[in-house]
């Protein structure tokens, strides 16, 4: 069964790779929140953000980012000790909870989609080291990026 599109802001429990994971998705700045209609009215953007969230959780980065057409998703992982206090089940079977919860901030960016000549949207995933998550921190282009996977 496919995931229901994320709402922003939202905190949700997901089952990813047989683990229960808590994710929180918010807008990065007030300006991004004012542009919420870009996300609300674009099913393709919603699907791309969902793919980016699941991909970043699967990577397990402490701090990461995903860049897609028109957006940048910032991610921070924190310990989630409360997850161990509960027994989660799926179809009556117990599931493990993740040791970490994930925070995501959605930022809208102006870029030129399809510059690489492909018709399919591309999401770039990167681990960020030594980069603060605050909105005043430098954006994706100005950050030190290591381990870029596309």
């Amino acid at each position: 069964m496919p995931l229901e599109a994320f709402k922003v802001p939202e905190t949700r429990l997901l089952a990813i790779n047989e683990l229960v994971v808590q994710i929180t998705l918010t807008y990065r700045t007030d300006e991004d929140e004012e542009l919420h209609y870009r996300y609300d009215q674009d099913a393709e953007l919603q699907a791309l953000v969902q793919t980016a969230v699941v991909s970043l959780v699967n990577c397990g980065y402490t701090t990461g980012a995903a860049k897609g057409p028109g957006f940048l998703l910032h991610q921070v992982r924190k310990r989630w000790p409360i997850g161990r206090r509960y027994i989660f089940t799926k179809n009556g079977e117990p599931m493990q909870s993740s040791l970490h919860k994930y925070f995501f901030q959605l930022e809208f960016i102006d870029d030129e989609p399809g510059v690489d000549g492909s018709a399919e949207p591309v999401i770039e995933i990167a681990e960020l080291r030594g980069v603060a998550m605050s909105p005043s921190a430098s954006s994706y282009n100005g950050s030190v990026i290591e381990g870029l996977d596309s």
Side-chain angles (χ1 to χ4, degrees), residues 3-72:
L3 290 176
E4 181 181 323
F6 295 131
K7 294 174 180 34
V8 183
E10 179 178 37
T11 296
R12 183 190 291 188
L13 296 176
L14 299 176
I16 299 176
N17 291 331
E18 302 303 318
L19 280 178
V20 176
V21 180
Q22 178 183 307
I23 64 108
T24 298
L25 178 63
T26 62
Y27 290 107
R28 186 161 172 86
T29 66
D30 290 341
E31 290 81 18
D32 294 316
E33 190 167 358
E34 289 173 9
L35 298 172
H36 68 89
Y37 61 88
R38 286 188 185 179
Y39 181 83
D40 296 343
Q41 298 172 2
D42 189 340
E44 182 180 16
L45 175 61
Q46 292 171 14
L48 290 169
V49 168
Q50 180 175 304
T51 298
V53 164
V54 173
S55 297
L56 282 164
V57 169
N58 282 333
C59 288
Y61 298 147
T62 301
T63 306
K67 182 180 181 214
F71 76 93
L72 184 57

Side-chain angles (χ1 to χ4, degrees), residues 66-77:
K67 182 180 181 214
F71 76 93
L72 184 57
L73 189 66
H74 304 265
Q75 171 259 309
V76 169
R77 181 187 79 188

Side-chain angles (χ1 to χ4, degrees), residues 61-134:
Y61 298 147
T62 301
T63 306
K67 182 180 181 214
F71 76 93
L72 184 57
L73 189 66
H74 304 265
Q75 171 259 309
V76 169
R77 181 187 79 188
K78 303 238 182 205
R79 294 192 51 71
W80 188 40
I82 198 167
R84 294 291 183 199
R85 295 183 189 166
Y86 296 93
I87 298 173
F88 300 100
T89 62
K90 181 177 179 182
N91 299 325
E93 296 294 318
M95 295 181 68
Q96 289 279 73
S97 63
S98 172
L99 296 175
H100 301 97
K101 57 184 173 180
Y102 293 81
F103 296 91
F104 297 92
Q105 292 180 335
L106 180 61
E107 176 181 2
F108 295 111
I109 57 174
D110 292 323
D111 64 355
E112 304 228 0
V115 171
D116 64 355
S118 70
E120 293 294 317
V122 174
I123 300 174
E124 297 175 279
I125 304 291
E127 180 175 22
L128 305 178
R129 295 188 181 156
V131 178
M133 184 150 162
S134 71

